[in-house]
Amino acid sequence: QLTVDHSEVQYLVSIGQLTAAQALVHPRRNVITRALGTGQIWEPDVWVLPARHGDRLLLCSDGLTNELSPAHMARVLASVPHPKEAADVLLQAALRTGGRDNVTAIVADAVRPGEYAPGF
């Protein structure tokens, strides 16, 4: 995982006042510290990730990561060959476990120029 939430609880985790496990059940875990349309101007967090052939990237919302374990997500990403199908499997698994938040998942495979991912 490369990013963290912009939330009160994540701030408490980053300064050592809460553990990651405590953050998952904290009553203020959904209180965010950044939002569009509030009149504040926020600089987006940006990462440049050089992808190598064979890399698989998952871009998702916390609606996915709060419902599924990293191990489960890794198993799906490793076992489902087509990126769209992998995203669909992750989405359905998150919804089956409760889907308490909106769930977004995009799976992208790094391929060589001119090469297509499986199923295209």
Side-chain angles (χ1 to χ4, degrees):
Q1 182 173 339
L2 300 176
T3 64
V4 294
D5 289 343
H6 296 290
S7 67
E8 287 183 14
V9 170
Q10 180 57 49
Y11 173 73
L12 295 173
V13 170
S14 68
I15 64 171
Q17 289 190 5
L18 284 179
T19 67
Q22 291 170 321
L24 291 174
V25 295
H26 194 279
R28 294 185 57 84
R29 67 187 172 274
N30 294 323
V31 178
I32 58 173
T33 58
R34 290 190 197 178
L36 297 174
T38 63
Q40 296 285 338
I41 298 174
W42 301 107
E43 287 294 320
D45 295 338
V46 177
W47 292 265
V48 176
L49 302 171
R52 297 181 313 258
H53 178 263
D55 285 350
R56 176 166 268 190
L57 305 173
L58 169 64
L59 175 67
C60 65
S61 66
D62 61 353
L64 184 77
T65 58
N66 288 344
E67 298 294 340
L68 303 178
S69 71
H72 181 86
M73 290 184 286
R75 278 192 305 274
V76 170
L77 293 170
S79 65
V80 179
H82 193 280
K84 182 181 181 326
E85 290 173 11
D88 289 344
V89 168
L90 291 168
L91 172 69
Q92 291 306 314
L95 294 175
R96 277 193 309 275
T97 62
R100 292 172 282 267
D101 198 352
N102 51 345
V103 181
T104 302
I106 299 169
V107 176
D109 289 339
V111 296
R112 291 188 178 98
E115 180 184 9
Y116 295 101
F120 284 95

